[in-house]
Amino acid sequence: MTTNVLMAGVGGQGVVTASAVVARAALLAGWEVKKSEIHGMSQRGGSVVSHVRLAPDGEIFSPIIPAGEVDLLIGFELLETLRALSYARRGAHIIVDPRRIPPAPVSLGLAEYPDDALQRIQEGDYQVHVAAGTTVAAQLGEVRAANSVLLGAASRLLPLPAEAWQQALRLTLKASIVQVNLEAFNRGREFVPQPAG
Amino acid sequence: MEQRQLLSGNEAIARGAWEAGCGFGSGYPGTPSSEILPALAELGDCYTEWSVNEKCALEAAAGAAIVGARCLVTMKHVGLNVAADPLFTLAYTGINGGLVVVSADDPSMHSSQNEQDNRHYARAAKVPMLEPASSQEALDFTKLAFEISERFDTPVLLRVTTRICHSHGVVSVGERSVKQPACPPQPQVAKYVMLPVHARQRRALMAQRVASLRRYVESAQVNRREAGDPAVGIISAGVAYQYAKEVCPGASFLKLGMTWPLPEQMIRDFAASVQKLYVIEELDPYLAEQVQAMGVAVTPLPESLQEGELNPERVKAALEGSPPGPQSAPDLPARPPQLCPGCPHRGVFMALHRLRLFVTGDIGCYTLGALPPLQALHTCMCMGAGVGQIHGINQACGAGQRAVAVIGDSTFVHSGITNLINIFYNNSPSVVIILDNATTAMTGGQDHPGTGRTLHGGPGRKLDLAALCQGIGIRHVQTVDPYDFKQTQAAIKAAVERDEPSVIIASRPCVLLSRQRGRPFVVDEESCTQCGVCLQVGCPAIISSPTAAGRRQPQIDPLLCSGCGLCAQVCPQDAIRQAGDTA
Ligand SMILES: Cc1ncc(C[n+]2csc(CCOP(=O)(O)OP(=O)(O)O)c2C)c(N)n1
Ligand code: SF4
């Protein structure tokens, strides 16, 4: 069975690093994994999505998740979460950081930010977990660790062993920021209740 | 060494080249190919370089191949247009040491100015082409490409696309085996000197080579049949194969790894074994047309499929004959990319905007100067073109035009220099602004001759851009700091009024490179009259919220502000000050 994880955010928020951690954790657990995202223009503050597909065994074909088959959507920002929502299947888990980053057209007064974004996400047929990643990371003194908070929350929903997560964080991040990210990861676990069964 | 690694397609190509004993890697950055050479450099024991442009890269490799070195040359799809001249004749001379050219195409133009399908190059230049469909195949096919290259004495095209380059997959890696070059080179005049008399001989040899390649490909393991439901047969290659497998796992497949020349007999046999034959491919109907030309019936698919990147939904809809499903909510505001806070290009575009000039532009981060609110770049065609266009505009319109060209430093060295010489030689009163941010920022910050560092990060010789322009003969060459708005604007104004060629070098490193952050600025809301001038700076750090009076109150996000101070320089009320300063 393939599990499909989609991450959505804004360039500079660490979406690609976070998806690298998930993919590496899956590799360390001996799983099959494919991950895909688009570099380039998106890094200059544009929208970024990263697809990760993992399976304990068997082959994964497409590196991108078919629309409507996302099992877990990790949203780093409200507008971007809303934009990616149609990729989630009914009943999917959504982890969302209730953070707002207004895009240029909004700052220029040419468009409106959807103020009801969180409400629209919560109204859908999903299991929504609001995880204040940015707030917690700021409390820890490193806003850039917000992505690790969200990964901590995700670790409650993905059946990968705890050591694989920790090791993946250590291997993916610069040594100087590993500790604060491990802390952020642990704090993130509190945002999702222990899954039943 | 761990045998199972998670590698991007680009890393896998580098690994494959390294295992194949590649001794020479060259290329010019271009999304989605840019990560291949750094990965090869990282593996070590192989000479690698950023070349000045793709033509230089291929020509240098052609030389290294003469003495038997195995060479990898990397570029994005449009780079092959630049390198096409050597490629076509290299197919005549042959190579000696294996030579693999990676062409990384960008369906959907995620980071490109066009969407050309470079598979046509293989056929046009008569060079064999391999198309991997995963990271594992990227590694395996790169090794195979070197073997084919040497066995048939021909360059080989390894054609990949963005989804292959930038997707990661689990790959089994192997060991490296090295081949030493045979120096010094021995003359082989009839092989390497393409005088017509020799070229005609080589042309005949090329026909023989193509004939042997056609025999080879019929039994090559790189193409494979996958048994399935005989009602539906699918011929596919590259990432399109993965999408087709995803949505039609039960169908019969002919998975092509080598897509020029095609295994004609294999295709005929496969077609005869299925009831309905589909060809699933991204971009042009390159395979479908060749299969049809063989007299094999192919089920027609909508022409719309030829535009843009495929995905599982589009392939499914095409096979089922239904419209593709709904995309994301349409009412949401877009999030276009923007110049970073503190980007050195911004000061130049603010000045160009205020001076209301027509600006011929080029490709790089600075192309974003075309977007609102700056809107101060009015053309972008291909690398180097803006410096040609400004000359054409000025010659066609006569003196006194209010137009200038802007070009990035990497782009200038890649292909702006020849156009500047053309401006000088033909005495056109054109103004060229070189945006010298000391890196190739758009593609991820690679070094180039103007930075004085090589691909390995070590010291290289630094090209002096001002001295170069003066050496060409340009009399007015001025360097300005784009963080100094007044100076920048004055220099441009003076240059435009001159009846002679001039060059302005706006010099200041990319903020991602310098990583220097000044103290953030703040808007003093007491003295701010909400005039909106600072919002026209187009800085992502300046956000605004509507006020009760229907205006917008600007604010500066202290986490995003880089402290460049450009907004403070244009605020008519002096309401923007550095945190900690008093009025
Ligand atoms: C022939 C060709 N090769 C490569 C590219 C990819 N590419 C686009 S812009 C660019 C260079 C950008 O560097 P620079 O001119 O210094 O501008 P910056 O992005 O730093 O502002 C490159 C390599 C291309 N578009 N065309
Ligand atoms: S990466 Fe550098 S050159 Fe590109 S927009 Fe940002 S600051 Fe400007």
Side-chain angles (χ1 to χ4, degrees), chain B residues 28-29 54 78 345 363 365-366 383 408-411 437 439 441-442:
Chain B
Y28 181 75
E54 294 85 352
V78 283
H345 298 329
I363 310 180
C365 279
Y366 53 98
M383 289 186 75
D409 50 349
S410 187
T411 304
N437 60 353
T439 187
M442 176 82 253

Side-chain angles (χ1 to χ4, degrees), chain B residues 66-116:
Chain B
I66 286 179
V67 291
R70 283 192 160 183
C71 305
L72 185 77
V73 189
T74 72
M75 59 197 68
K76 71 182 287 162
H77 62 321
V78 283
L80 196 51
N81 300 338
V82 177
D85 204 3
L87 177 72
F88 276 72
T89 305
L90 194 56
Y92 279 59
T93 65
I95 41 79
N96 192 24
L99 192 151
V100 177
V101 178
V102 181
S103 164
D105 296 10
D106 189 18
S108 275
M109 299 164 275
H110 294 290
S111 198
S112 300
Q113 70 268 36
N114 78 16
E115 189 179 55
Q116 66 189 43

Side-chain angles (χ1 to χ4, degrees), chain A residues 36-39 64, chain B residues 31-33 75-78 103-119 131-132 159-166 237-240 243 281-284 304-311 314:
Chain A
S36 179
E37 64 264 326
I38 297 295
H39 308 199
I64 47 182
Chain B
T31 315
S33 71
M75 59 197 68
K76 71 182 287 162
H77 62 321
V78 283
S103 164
D105 296 10
D106 189 18
S108 275
M109 299 164 275
H110 294 290
S111 198
S112 300
Q113 70 268 36
N114 78 16
E115 189 179 55
Q116 66 189 43
D117 186 332
N118 275 8
R119 293 178 299 173
E131 280 191 80
R159 191 262 189 173
V160 282
T161 55
T162 308
R163 281 294 165 192
I164 297 299
C165 295
H166 287 171
V239 75
Y243 302 145
E281 59 191 319
E282 217 166 36
L283 302 184
D284 295 346
S304 57
L305 221 56
Q306 297 171 18
E307 209 178 291
E309 199 182 13
L310 294 181
N311 58 34
R314 292 185 73 195

